[in-house]
Amino acid sequence: SEKLRVPEALTFDDVLLRPKESRVEPDDADMATRVSTNVSLNIPVISAAMDTVTEAELAIEMARQGGLGVLHRNMSVEETAQHVEEVKRADELIIRDVVTASPDQTVREVDAMMERKGVSGAPVVDDDDTVLGIISGTDIRPYLEVGEHDSVQEAMTDEVITATEEVSPREALELMYEHKIERVPIVDDENRLTGLVTMAGVLARREYDNAARDDDGALVVGVAVGPFELERARAADAAGADIVFIDCAHAHNLDVIDSAREIREEVDADVVVGNIGTREAAEAVVDFADGVKVGIGPGSICTTRVVSGSGMPQITAVAEVADVASQHDTPVIADGGIRYSGDAIKAIAAGADAVMLGSYFAGTEEAPGRVITMNGKRYKQYRGMGSVGAMNDGGGDRYLKDDEEDEEFVPEGVEAATPYKGPLSSELHQLVGGMQSGMGYVGAETIPEFKERSEFVRVSSAGQTESHAHDVVITDEAPNYSPD
Ligand code: RVP
């Protein structure tokens, strides 16, 4: 029958990268990539929009390490805005809620206030925020001995070195060096205080020299919104989100596409549309999407393929979508099913510009939820957003049919536990290091070059057995490999 003349679709374990002539040392492989029209990252890695994976804390660490976190949407619209703001404020060069002193406070009062607020100096301002001076612990110390009731006016330094909003980290450091000071108030053109740059702040930012930042130097962040959640999209956008992700299990749905177009019109942020898994779906969205996300059923906690009988093995899905997206210069994100760094780099070879992972990060310190102990081993919870638990806790409409709200759920995900893994930074180090190793084997120095140069070979099940550790008993755990 014609019906049974079916095309083959492949996934991660079906293929390997063909090793090629190379002069590329893995460490030299440049992992920078573009994930949407206006957003580039320094590593091609994104954390999943799931309530056991990405909230502000993990998103902050992802961006500091050069990647991107996408906030889940099992929270109120107000909370979404708060999480975005938290990420945006995290590594701010210019501090906005500045602790200030007033000139007629006593030295003792200011000392107590600085102690309470945990700062070691404060700009002195009058009632309309005009900067009059600056006072620090060093200014205060002698007064505490002999004149603690003297006014701040007397004790402060009144020749204040200030800068304007445009100051760069370098310029701020040069001012501090030249004038032997540790903080520079930021003022408008009427000398009114708008912020503060501190030495500690500049140095902390330096620690994350690979961080993914927006044009103002704030960390980048993405937000998942339901396909019809215009309100959440607007709030995320107003709070400064860089990308709004249309978060849908089947974005090749014409109502979803209409709504996504509308959201695209409404927000300044980029809009990434997903998930899709076929050429036809890509064709339906590339004209307006700033990026597309691929994955119908590959996720570790996802039962969509079993429950619905529908899906696309991930390597084929990514390759089909990338064929279309690359014609339009639209970035592609491969979402789900990645267990090892090797899977991640195979997804890039298939045509993705970045990968999104859930299970890989769910066990980290920065992921939401607490550590649980079972049989002496430590775990964290990890669950599908289409699982009964996640749907009960939130909108859950991603996997919900319109009239299903009062009925029993038909879940497409499971609730699970995943081993506790410690800090995200070491997980990312293993993931990205393994991907760079793949680039070394293929001989490509950049992601675009790698996408061009890489080729797959097909692996038999015997080949697959050979790929894994075999015929041995593993005695010590490797940081990047576990056989199950
Ligand atoms: P994984 O990294 O394999 O754990 O997959 C994570 C991805 O699985 C998510 O980014 C999302 O696309 C998908 N997901 C999330 N919930 C569910 C579900 O309940 N079916 N699937």
Side-chain angles (χ1 to χ4, degrees), residues 242-275:
D242 299 273
I243 309 181
V244 164
F245 286 77
I246 308 295
D247 184 34
C248 175
H250 184 35
H252 197 188
N253 167 309
L254 299 179
D255 295 327
V256 169
I257 294 176
D258 289 345
S259 172
R261 266 183 213 280
E262 194 185 331
I263 290 175
R264 168 63 298 195
E265 291 300 307
E266 288 277 327
V267 300
D268 289 331
D270 281 354
V271 174
V272 169
V273 180
N275 278 6

Side-chain angles (χ1 to χ4, degrees), residues 26 31 43-47 62 65 67-68 334 337-348 354-361 364 421 423-439 447 479-481:
M31 302 308 278
I43 60 170
V45 183
I46 303 177
S47 67
M62 283 298 299
Q65 302 294 332
L68 175 76
I338 290 167
R339 304 149 300 171
Y340 302 107
S341 49
D343 296 342
I345 197 67
K346 287 176 194 176
I348 307 271
V355 290
M356 176 180 263
L357 304 89
S359 77
Y360 205 93
F361 299 136
T364 61
K421 290 176 164 170
L424 176 71
S425 58
S426 44
E427 284 307 292
L428 273 176
H429 175 76
Q430 293 300 332
L431 179 66
V432 174
M435 294 175 79
Q436 286 179 302
S437 181
M439 290 171 69
I447 299 270
N480 56 357
Y481 178 75

Side-chain angles (χ1 to χ4, degrees), residues 145-464:
E145 294 297 320
V146 291
E148 59 175 357
H149 298 297
D150 287 356
S151 70
V152 164
Q153 179 91 49
E154 228 146 297
M156 72 185 189
T157 307
D158 46 18
E159 276 172 32
V160 201
I161 309 300
T162 60
T164 59
E165 289 285 329
E166 289 74 42
V167 72
S168 72
R170 180 85 226 161
E171 289 160 356
L173 271 186
E174 278 167 5
L175 280 176
M176 294 177 197
Y177 174 78
E178 199 180 315
H179 300 281
K180 301 191 169 43
I181 51 177
E182 288 198 7
R183 49 190 76 74
V184 178
I186 304 299
V187 294
D188 64 13
D189 45 16
E190 280 161 16
N191 199 35
R192 275 196 294 251
L193 186 76
T194 59
L196 182 75
V197 177
T198 68
M199 173 92 76
V202 179
L203 296 180
R205 277 168 57 101
R206 261 221 193 147
E207 208 184 308
Y208 306 109
D209 54 355
N210 204 36
R213 299 184 188 282
D214 64 20
D215 292 341
D216 299 327
L219 298 171
V220 294
V221 64
V223 173
V225 308
F228 308 106
E229 279 190 316
L230 190 55
E231 196 199 342
R232 190 185 302 275
R234 284 205 190 107
D237 190 44
D242 299 273
I243 309 181
V244 164
F245 286 77
I246 308 295
D247 184 34
C248 175
H250 184 35
H252 197 188
N253 167 309
L254 299 179
D255 295 327
V256 169
I257 294 176
D258 289 345
S259 172
R261 266 183 213 280
E262 194 185 331
I263 290 175
R264 168 63 298 195
E265 291 300 307
E266 288 277 327
V267 300
D268 289 331
D270 281 354
V271 174
V272 169
V273 180
N275 278 6
I276 58 171
T278 63
R279 189 186 316 279
E280 299 75 33
E283 269 154 8
V285 300
V286 277
D287 67 301
F288 73 96
D290 291 300
V292 290
K293 190 151 70 67
V294 181
I296 309 288
S300 59
I301 38 45
C302 179
T303 54
T304 291
R305 292 179 189 170
V306 183
V307 170
S308 74
S310 175
M312 276 292 264
Q314 186 70 338
I315 288 288
T316 295
V318 170
E320 276 205 16
V321 169
D323 277 347
V324 176
S326 61
Q327 307 284 313
H328 294 75
D329 205 22
T330 306
V332 175
I333 297 163
D335 173 16
I338 290 167
R339 304 149 300 171
Y340 302 107
S341 49
D343 296 342
I345 197 67
K346 287 176 194 176
I348 307 271
D353 297 275
V355 290
M356 176 180 263
L357 304 89
S359 77
Y360 205 93
F361 299 136
T364 61
E365 183 59 46
E366 290 86 347
R370 58 190 180 83
V371 177
I372 40 192
T373 307
M374 293 189 287
N375 299 328
K377 280 198 162 163
R378 293 192 293 172
Y379 297 86
K380 282 187 103 164
Q381 190 195 22
Y382 180 48
R383 66 183 184 186
M385 294 303 282
S387 67
V388 172
M391 289 199 286
N392 269 329
D393 281 354
D397 53 340
R398 174 172 170 171
Y399 298 90
L400 214 58
K401 289 155 208 78
D402 277 345
D403 52 359
E404 207 174 61
E405 274 176 62
D406 311 319
E407 293 172 30
E408 254 178 90
F409 292 127
V410 179
E412 290 185 20
V414 297
E415 298 173 71
T418 182
Y420 175 69
K421 290 176 164 170
L424 176 71
S425 58
S426 44
E427 284 307 292
L428 273 176
H429 175 76
Q430 293 300 332
L431 179 66
V432 174
M435 294 175 79
Q436 286 179 302
S437 181
M439 290 171 69
Y441 280 106
V442 169
E445 215 151 34
T446 66
I447 299 270
E449 198 186 324
F450 176 78
K451 283 170 61 178
E452 195 62 25
R453 190 173 159 84
S454 51
E455 281 176 47
F456 287 126
V457 291
R458 182 67 201 274
V459 180
S460 66
S461 69
Q464 168 63 5

Side-chain angles (χ1 to χ4, degrees), residues 56-78:
E57 187 182 350
L58 190 117
I60 288 169
E61 191 59 19
M62 283 298 299
R64 281 178 173 165
Q65 302 294 332
L68 175 76
V70 183
L71 300 168
H72 71 82
R73 60 185 173 91
N74 249 4
M75 57 174 92
S76 70
V77 168
E78 293 71 40

